[in-house]
Amino acid sequence: MTAPDGTQERERDEGADRPGPSGDPSAALELRTPGEVADRPAAGADTRETSGDPGLRETARDLETRERPAETAAGSGDDGEAAAPPASHRRSRPLRTSVIVAAAITVVAAAGAATTGALGGDGAGEANAAPSAPPKTAEIRRTTLTRTETVDGNLGYGEASAVQAPAGAGSGQPARNGTGGDGGSAGIITWVPEDGDVIKRGGTVYRADEEKVPLLYGSTPFYRTLGPGSEGGDVKILEKNLSELGYTGFTADDAYTETTAEAVRDWQDDLGREETGRVGPGDAVVAPGARRVADVKTSPGALLNGTVLTWTGTERIVTVDLDVRHEDLVEKGTKATVTLPDDSTVRAEVTDVGTLSGSGEAGDAGSGGPGNGGGNEDPTLPVELEIGKQKGLGRYQAAGVEVTLKAETRENVLAVPVNALVAERGGGYAVEVVDADGTVERRAVKLGMFADSLVEVSGKGITDGLVVGVPK
């Protein structure tokens, strides 16, 4: 098989990469030297142990001996070339590499399984291990917690009210009984203010037939003609306003005397009106204080009739349609904080609490009843709040705001940041107490009020000044 000059061995080396009779290099039976294993061992053979098992080595030698003549015959051709042995050495190296890689993967997988408990055990050692030191700490402090509720509100001048022409004006009846007007000739608007104007005590609300109708402060409008001998609250309102405007010679009480009538004549003269010494319903408009004109409803030349204008208070207030479930949070004098659109805040105080509206009960007057839109609105409570310092509102005239109401206060309680709480596996919460030496102990706590990112805590071993971890 081997020529003295080594020709056949060279030919076999050159044909090492030729395919067998089937065209597949792996189709021809590969030969191995004694102790070497074929790439496709018999089922059940362990290729990693071949070189060390005498029985397997013998099997390989027998296979090599039986197949060598057949291979030689198959590899001979007319050109005298001998069949080349298969490239067993080139393919056996990847096999050995694969075995090594597989072994490494097995070691890594085993280590991962041991970590996760997949190889047995319940992982109790990990679960019972002491918690690691938290990244931050805080102290349990004794403090006062106040829970609040924030609701939507509206900044403005409040609800506008109407200024009506006196009864009978424009209908041929005397419009201003105190002045002794000449019936139907009275009642033509000759001047009105502008929207946004502020009218104070003694200022002109409008003019009719060029006679000024002034504003007086009070809670009761003039509903009758006042003159000497009249008594009552409306008399007192008149006399108090005259006194504030600088008129003297009378006592500001509820009795209309001749000295009161004399002061009234002086006042009428200054207004450019007829000096009768008597005051009728249309001679002045009474309001709680200074007014800001919201909307003028008429114009000069029009008949004095119906609504002349609407107005509001001069100070901006906050109104809230409070959900009925928060009804217990407000009463007159309740303090609140108002947050403006630019995130600045001002202090406020509840000055008025109205009655529930929008309940929409069937059968209520004005509720609409079934089929008329009634019964669909949630009940609300109208609330007004006064702003202590108007300058704090800046240039805002009307805006949506947030109103924060105090809901509950707990004094002298222990509290920690909310994010210091750790949920327990079996339910409940705990805190991680950090000792001076850095060790961490978990202690269960009972929770109380939440407020301002803090939470009230109590429990065994929970004391003021205790250092706890803040894991987040």
Side-chain angles (χ1 to χ4, degrees):
M1 294 175 64
T2 304
D5 60 358
T7 302
Q8 187 172 356
E9 291 296 330
R10 287 194 301 271
E11 290 174 350
R12 290 182 63 181
D13 290 340
E14 293 170 359
D17 295 327
R18 291 188 188 136
S22 64
D24 184 355
S26 62
L29 183 64
E30 298 174 356
L31 300 182
R32 297 291 182 268
T33 58
E36 189 171 87
V37 183
D39 284 352
R40 294 183 297 277
D46 188 347
T47 59
R48 290 172 295 178
E49 300 296 334
T50 301
S51 61
D53 190 326
L56 293 178
R57 286 200 302 271
E58 183 64 29
T59 300
R61 283 197 297 272
D62 292 344
L63 180 62
E64 180 184 20
T65 302
R66 287 196 303 270
E67 298 297 338
R68 183 178 290 120
E71 179 186 2
T72 303
S76 300
D78 295 340
D79 55 1
E81 293 182 353
S88 60
H89 292 286
R90 288 193 300 273
R91 289 214 300 250
S92 63
R93 182 176 294 110
L95 175 63
R96 290 193 297 272
T97 303
S98 299
V99 171
I100 295 171
V101 172
I105 293 174
T106 302
V107 172
V108 173
T115 301
T116 59
L119 297 180
D122 55 5
E126 288 294 328
N128 296 330
S132 59
K136 295 181 181 181
T137 60
E139 290 187 4
I140 297 178
R141 289 297 186 190
R142 192 168 295 280
T143 184
T144 296
L145 295 180
T146 300
R147 183 175 66 86
T148 60
E149 291 290 346
T150 300
V151 297
D152 293 333
N154 291 290
L155 174 67
Y157 289 92
E159 185 177 356
S161 58
V163 174
Q164 299 287 348
S171 62
Q173 299 297 320
R176 296 177 299 282
N177 295 332
T179 63
D182 58 354
S185 64
I188 299 299
I189 293 290
T190 54
W191 178 90
V192 289
E194 295 183 357
D195 294 352
D197 284 354
V198 173
I199 305 172
K200 298 181 180 180
R201 189 199 314 262
T204 303
V205 179
Y206 62 91
R207 291 179 186 173
D209 299 334
E210 278 300 282
E211 292 184 353
K212 297 178 181 178
V213 178
L215 170 65
L216 301 181
Y217 295 173
S219 57
T220 304
F222 295 159
Y223 61 92
R224 58 176 178 162
T225 299
L226 301 177
S230 299
E231 294 183 357
D234 49 354
V235 173
K236 188 173 183 178
I237 289 175
L238 173 62
E239 293 182 340
K240 185 176 181 179
N241 276 274
L242 291 175
S243 178
E244 291 291 336
L245 291 172
Y247 299 96
T248 60
F250 60 94
T251 301
D253 54 19
D254 60 359
Y256 200 115
T257 65
E258 286 296 336
T259 55
T260 303
E262 187 62 33
V264 168
R265 292 187 186 93
D266 293 339
W267 175 51
Q268 291 172 336
D269 181 51
D270 293 336
L271 292 175
R273 298 170 62 172
E274 184 179 355
E275 302 171 21
T276 65
R278 302 169 67 88
V279 178
D283 290 342
V285 178
V286 179
R291 302 283 93 182
R292 177 180 182 273
V293 177
D295 187 15
V296 176
K297 300 293 186 179
T298 188
S299 59
L303 191 67
L304 177 60
N305 191 19
T307 301
V308 178
L309 54 84
T310 61
W311 58 14
T312 65
T314 57
E315 291 192 348
R316 290 161 287 181
I317 63 173
V318 172
T319 56
V320 175
D321 287 329
L322 191 66
D323 193 294
V324 67
R325 59 195 172 96
H326 298 316
E327 182 179 3
D328 62 329
L329 301 183
V330 294
E331 61 183 7
K332 286 187 177 181
T334 298
K335 306 297 182 183
T337 300
V338 176
T339 302
L340 301 173
D342 61 0
D343 290 332
S344 62
T345 60
V346 291
R347 299 291 183 182
E349 180 179 326
V350 175
T351 55
D352 184 67
V353 179
T355 57
L356 287 176
S357 62
S359 59
E361 296 181 359
D364 284 353
S367 66
N372 292 322
N376 295 325
E377 296 182 2
D378 293 331
T380 57
L381 190 69
V383 177
E384 287 188 3
L385 298 96
E386 182 181 82
I387 306 299
K389 296 182 179 180
Q390 291 284 305
K391 289 183 178 179
L393 298 173
R395 298 175 63 88
Y396 290 111
Q397 300 294 312
V401 297
E402 291 184 345
V403 180
T404 302
L405 302 166
K406 291 183 179 180
E408 183 182 359
T409 298
R410 296 288 299 274
E411 297 180 354
N412 197 31
V413 297
L414 296 175
V416 295
V418 173
N419 54 2
L421 297 178
V422 179
E424 293 282 63
R425 180 172 298 178
Y429 291 89
V431 292
E432 295 180 344
V433 179
V434 182
D435 293 337
D437 59 0
T439 59
V440 180
E441 176 191 357
R442 190 169 290 180
R443 296 183 188 176
V445 293
K446 181 180 178 181
L447 307 185
M449 179 191 292
F450 286 79
D452 298 329
S453 300
L454 298 175
V455 57
E456 177 187 353
V457 292
S458 60
K460 185 177 180 180
I462 303 301
T463 59
D464 187 12
L466 196 65
V467 177
V468 298
V470 183
K472 295 181 180 180

